[in-house]
Amino acid sequence: MTVSTPTAAPQRAPLVLTPRQRNWLLLVSYLHLEQHKADKACTLLRLAFQSFPEDAEVQRCLALAELQGGSPVAAARAATRAFKQASGALRIPVGLVFAKALWEQGKHEAARDFLASLLTDTQS
């Protein structure tokens, strides 16, 4: 009698990109967004995020792509990561993406409150 044991799913090696490849993915993703192909941009930006999870620019681009692609929950997650790392003038555009993601989730009051606090913080 032979007993078969379930085989574990093969482990995937983490994707390793060079900074030059990262830049290329960002450029191609931007072009896809310009052509209203957010799904393709999201795919490329998710790959870039796997290799550069702490890269604020990748996170900002991913947040915008997810929002344009109709995934406001994923956009809010990416925007939250980007907002925590953003400073100065970059906080406003990332904050707008986050507020729009909240709004599209039906969280209108939270979106208004966040925008009010964002504007208050930038004025002081």
Side-chain angles (χ1 to χ4, degrees), residues 30-47:
Y30 176 77
L31 293 174
H32 282 307
L33 287 175
E34 285 290 313
Q35 297 172 356
H36 306 287
K37 297 177 182 176
D39 57 331
K40 292 181 181 188
C42 285
T43 300
L44 296 175
L45 289 164
R46 287 180 197 129
L47 288 172

Side-chain angles (χ1 to χ4, degrees), residues 15-26:
L15 182 65
V16 179
L17 298 174
T18 66
R20 191 172 184 174
Q21 290 168 323
R22 169 215 171 264
N23 293 343
W24 177 251
L25 284 177
L26 288 177

Side-chain angles (χ1 to χ4, degrees), residues 2-85:
T2 59
V3 178
S4 64
T5 59
T7 57
Q11 294 291 325
R12 297 180 111 191
L15 182 65
V16 179
L17 298 174
T18 66
R20 191 172 184 174
Q21 290 168 323
R22 169 215 171 264
N23 293 343
W24 177 251
L25 284 177
L26 288 177
L27 175 65
V28 174
S29 298
Y30 176 77
L31 293 174
H32 282 307
L33 287 175
E34 285 290 313
Q35 297 172 356
H36 306 287
K37 297 177 182 176
D39 57 331
K40 292 181 181 188
C42 285
T43 300
L44 296 175
L45 289 164
R46 287 180 197 129
L47 288 172
F49 179 70
Q50 285 178 5
S51 289
F52 299 94
E54 301 301 319
D55 188 316
E57 186 176 5
V58 170
Q59 293 169 9
R60 287 192 305 270
C61 292
L62 180 57
L64 182 60
E66 294 284 9
L67 186 61
Q68 287 185 3
S71 299
V73 174
R77 272 194 307 266
T80 298
R81 289 189 303 264
F83 191 79
K84 288 179 182 176
Q85 294 182 347

